[in-house]
Amino acid sequence: MKISNTIQHLTGGVIAGFAILMLLINMSAQWREPVGWLLIIVWGGITCGWEYWQYLKYGSKRNYWQYRGKDTIVDLLAGNVPVWLLCIVGMYGHSVIGVMR
């Protein structure tokens, strides 16, 4: 099993997360939470679709999960965890800053 292109997934997740963070910070407070959760779901769908495309591109073999299973899981986490964290900061960060004053 070889873990490959995880850095690209992590980079894409960080870039998307910062873009979403900027969007959420500049959005009115009443829309931050619903839009943030929607963007988390949409980004998760995009990364799952990307992994499925890679699965089809490199051959959907019967023993795919034995050879590429860990790589797929690591790529999904690397692409989604930064978005989750930065979305949560964008959705609820204003509450923490208000409390800390």
Side-chain angles (χ1 to χ4, degrees):
M1 202 271 325
K2 180 182 145 194
I3 293 180
S4 61
N5 73 349
T6 302
I7 296 297
Q8 285 114 356
H9 286 269
L10 184 63
T11 303
V14 169
I15 291 170
F18 273 113
I20 291 170
L21 176 65
M22 292 300 115
L23 175 76
L24 292 174
I25 286 174
N26 291 311
M27 190 173 282
S28 69
Q30 68 181 7
W31 286 100
R32 284 181 188 162
E33 189 174 352
V35 171
W37 286 112
L38 176 69
L39 291 172
I40 287 173
I41 292 168
V42 167
W43 186 255
I46 289 170
T47 56
C48 287
W50 180 262
E51 285 298 318
Y52 184 67
W53 176 78
Q54 287 182 337
Y55 168 72
L56 293 177
K57 180 181 173 187
Y58 296 114
S60 49
K61 300 171 181 65
R62 264 182 17 196
N63 52 1
Y64 174 82
W65 287 104
Q66 291 175 342
Y67 293 109
R68 305 282 300 170
K70 289 180 186 173
D71 179 57
T72 299
I73 292 168
V74 169
D75 286 348
L76 285 172
L77 288 175
N80 283 306
V81 170
V83 172
W84 298 341
L85 295 175
L86 291 170
C87 274
I88 289 171
V89 167
M91 289 187 292
Y92 303 113
H94 63 284
S95 302
V96 174
I97 293 171
V99 170
M100 292 173 61
R101 288 185 193 187

